[in-house]
Amino acid sequence: MSDMLQTFVKKEMEKQIQEKYPHMQHPSGMYAKVVRSKEVNGRYLCTLKILDKAMNTDNDFPEIPNVKTEIELKQGDIAVILLLYGGSIVFVLGRYEP
């Protein structure tokens, strides 16, 4: 009986987190590899690929096109980004240099 209750509570918590707090499922700050970059009127328009903490491609995320930033990023650079509120709005914090 307690296993049923525990399973129900776990599933309900997962559902609540997914619906109300999607930003808790993934870290808000991440690494991203610059796949493409071009300068447009002094700003940079980039396509980014999210990386995991081991700096490998994270296939849970598709490429993110048309990310605008004033930070000069070139193809192959690693950027540090924020996904605002767990959504698809990307804010570039800077270039990561190990």
Side-chain angles (χ1 to χ4, degrees):
M1 181 76 159
S2 67
D3 285 343
M4 286 178 47
L5 181 59
Q6 188 176 22
T7 301
F8 172 76
V9 170
K10 182 178 178 183
K11 286 186 179 188
E12 184 60 27
M13 289 296 296
E14 289 172 353
K15 178 183 168 192
Q16 291 294 321
I17 288 171
Q18 190 173 24
E19 291 175 0
K20 294 184 178 182
Y21 311 103
H23 56 282
M24 291 177 59
Q25 294 176 322
H26 300 285
S28 57
M30 299 184 211
Y31 299 119
K33 185 169 189 169
V34 180
V35 177
R36 286 180 287 288
S37 178
K38 67 178 181 178
E39 185 177 356
V40 179
N41 297 326
R43 297 185 74 187
Y44 295 87
L45 191 62
C46 304
T47 299
L48 303 176
K49 184 67 182 155
I50 303 297
L51 305 176
D52 62 19
K53 61 183 169 183
M55 298 294 213
N56 297 314
T57 299
D58 189 337
N59 293 318
D60 289 341
F61 293 90
E63 284 187 355
I64 304 171
N66 302 319
V67 176
K68 296 175 186 172
T69 181
E70 293 180 0
I71 298 169
E72 182 179 357
L73 294 172
K74 298 176 183 166
Q75 183 176 352
D77 283 349
I78 303 296
V80 178
I81 65 165
L82 291 178
L83 291 177
L84 300 176
Y85 295 102
S88 58
I89 300 171
V90 177
F91 182 78
V92 178
L93 295 173
R95 183 175 32 265
Y96 176 74
E97 297 182 25

